[in-house]
Amino acid sequence: MTNVESRLELAERAATAGSEIAADGFRNGLAVETKSNKTDVVTEADRNSQRRVIEVIRNEFPEDAIVGEEEDALKEVPPEGDVWVIDPIDGTNNFVRGIPLWTTSVAAVRDGEAVAAANVCPALDDVYAADADGAYLNGERITVSDRTDPETFTVCPTVWWDFDRREEYAATAKGIVERFGDMRRFGCAQIVLGMVASSALDGTVTNIVPNPWDTVAGAFMVRQAGGTVTDIHGEPWTTESRGLVASNGEAHEEVLAAARDAEPYYGN
């Protein structure tokens, strides 16, 4: 197993193995700890899931770099080489509240660009995936929505703002409400990006710098499903970008404008 094509199979297998560990703790009375703030939570299931994902990957590619949310994994994606980006439980706040919107995410990256990705959502019985040929939901090819009228769009603000940045969130939400037909918020960036890729949502926005484990897999899926993913400035999104704006591409400037509504409050 050495070529790019094989990495999707491994991403799915590793994400599935990790998600099974996480699922054992779901709605099962796990102790909850906090990290950087009161809403940045972690459980032993997060740590055990990441260890299992890494174990599966290391069995095939022992020298590849690992970027992950928990423990001593790298926190930035190296610009060169083969890298795996892992989120053992994206949507941990949902997870600890018994809400089934969470996923185990694994993306394979080569020289800074994703080449394969899988988001396994055991509580939903869904698997989002993408490779060089396209994007998939439960094995079926998916594409972004074909809606063109922003007033028919459903758009989601994602990647949560800290307490000292809630004015940015409020401005973003206001921008969405004023421009689009409806708004959702799900608390799991990877699932949200999968929903954009599968046409369930028409766009998603944040103006902050998101972590790679929250975004790399899903952003790749949106692009492989025919969508557009940029930063707050409208430039192609990378793991170093500020902001993430993903859409079906039909009215991306309108979606981007909603994200930019937060800019007057940025840094205040």
Side-chain angles (χ1 to χ4, degrees):
M1 184 179 291
T2 58
N3 57 32
V4 169
E5 289 77 13
S6 68
R7 291 180 180 247
L8 176 59
E9 186 276 333
L10 181 56
E12 287 193 33
R13 183 153 48 88
T16 298
S19 74
E20 289 171 350
I21 298 293
D24 285 344
F26 184 55
R27 294 176 176 169
N28 201 23
L30 279 174
V32 179
E33 306 166 36
T34 58
K35 295 189 287 186
S36 63
N37 59 56
K38 295 177 182 179
T39 60
D40 185 11
V41 298
V42 66
T43 71
E44 194 61 26
D46 294 82
R47 290 186 281 262
N48 290 339
S49 174
Q50 180 160 302
R51 291 170 191 147
R52 180 63 179 132
V53 171
I54 292 173
E55 179 183 41
V56 173
I57 292 169
R58 289 282 188 236
N59 284 338
E60 301 289 346
F61 296 106
E63 303 303 320
D64 285 3
I66 301 288
V67 174
E69 181 171 14
E70 309 303 336
E71 299 184 321
D72 59 354
L74 296 174
K75 303 306 175 188
E76 296 181 356
V77 178
E80 297 180 353
D82 286 314
V83 182
W84 297 85
V85 182
I86 300 167
D87 195 337
I89 303 177
D90 185 42
T92 303
N93 272 294
N94 287 342
F95 181 87
V96 301
R97 290 172 177 269
I99 299 169
L101 294 166
W102 56 273
T103 186
T104 299
S105 177
V106 178
V109 174
R110 176 164 290 173
D111 296 334
E113 297 290 335
V115 297
N119 287 335
V120 176
C121 317
L124 300 175
D125 200 24
D126 281 336
V127 176
Y128 294 90
D131 61 10
D133 295 326
Y136 316 91
L137 175 57
N138 300 329
E140 299 294 326
R141 188 177 293 273
I142 54 176
T143 61
V144 295
S145 76
D146 59 2
R147 297 180 186 89
T148 59
D149 181 356
E151 292 187 3
T152 69
F153 279 26
T154 296
V155 175
C156 176
T158 194
V159 185
W160 193 230
W161 290 252
D162 289 338
F163 274 107
D164 61 351
R165 300 183 64 177
R166 295 296 165 86
E167 286 184 323
E168 293 171 61
Y169 170 64
T172 302
K174 183 173 183 287
I176 292 172
V177 168
E178 290 178 344
R179 288 178 174 85
F180 305 111
D182 207 346
M183 183 176 78
R184 299 285 189 277
R185 177 171 154 74
F186 294 103
C188 178
Q190 294 284 13
I191 287 180
V192 164
L193 289 163
M195 288 179 175
V196 175
S198 64
S199 80
L201 293 172
D202 305 292
T204 185
V205 301
T206 187
N207 72 311
I208 71 171
V209 179
N211 295 311
W213 47 84
D214 292 326
T215 51
V216 170
F220 180 59
M221 291 170 192
V222 173
R223 286 172 170 162
Q224 295 307 97
T228 300
V229 188
T230 70
D231 65 12
I232 193 71
H233 306 295
E235 298 298 321
W237 182 83
T238 73
T239 58
E240 298 179 350
S241 295
R242 184 167 74 82
L244 185 150
V245 182
S247 79
N248 65 0
E250 296 293 341
H252 191 77
E253 287 301 317
E254 281 293 298
V255 182
L256 190 58
R260 287 175 174 163
D261 282 346
E263 289 304 272
Y265 304 95
Y266 176 69
N268 291 346

